[in-house]
Amino acid sequence: MWHRICFDLLRDFSIQETAMLHLTDSASDAIRKSITGTEDASVYAIRIMVETGGCAGLIYRMALARKAEVDDIIVEEKGIKIFVEAESAPLLKGTKIDFVTDLEESGFTFDNPNAGSKCSCGKSFH
């Protein structure tokens, strides 16, 4: 019980001390359209995490979400609820997420100050 209370206090402090994530206007618009465009009315947020994979070792994952997991850090940015997996939070802290559209492709990009290096597609980092 004590451990859980300490974790909750630490989690709340870390969110207030430094912004977890930053969304550009185009990223927030794309996320908002995805949330409102789904047929599932219970979806009201997005979940972001980092997993092992990709060409550089770690890869970003995003998914529409109905509810936060028990240890998720809940962030609100530009009116959008974002659930950040607790284990991924240190790797994502301060990351700027953008949504770009060009002739070759469109999608989310991540400018992560915690990444030592990243692959050329920008979807994977180390």
Side-chain angles (χ1 to χ4, degrees):
M1 175 74 172
W2 173 251
H3 173 58
R4 182 72 199 161
I5 292 169
C6 289
F7 179 81
D8 288 344
L9 290 172
L10 179 62
R11 180 176 65 186
D12 292 343
F13 175 76
S14 67
I15 291 173
Q16 294 169 5
E17 186 66 26
T18 303
M20 174 62 64
L21 297 168
H22 306 282
L23 297 177
T24 65
D25 290 340
S26 62
S28 61
D29 289 345
I31 293 169
R32 200 171 284 109
K33 286 177 187 174
S34 294
I35 291 171
T36 59
T38 184
E39 294 179 16
D40 187 347
S42 65
V43 170
Y44 72 99
I46 191 156
R47 188 158 195 268
I48 300 177
M49 68 199 81
V50 174
E51 295 180 342
T52 302
C55 51
L58 298 170
I59 192 163
Y60 302 101
R61 295 284 185 207
M62 297 174 70
L64 296 176
R66 292 183 186 98
K67 64 179 183 171
E69 298 295 325
V70 174
D71 290 336
D72 281 353
I73 295 172
I74 301 170
V75 178
E76 187 163 334
E77 174 76 4
K78 297 190 178 195
I80 296 172
K81 291 271 190 204
I82 305 169
F83 304 145
V84 180
E85 179 187 52
E87 291 179 9
S88 300
L91 297 170
L92 292 169
K93 193 171 189 175
T95 297
K96 181 174 119 182
I97 302 172
D98 194 10
F99 187 83
V100 296
T101 303
D102 60 30
L103 293 174
E104 295 177 17
E105 67 177 301
S106 64
F108 291 97
T109 61
F110 300 83
D111 182 11
N112 187 340
N114 306 299
S117 61
K118 63 181 180 178
C119 66
S120 61
C121 72
K123 307 283 186 214
S124 179
F125 70 100
H126 182 268

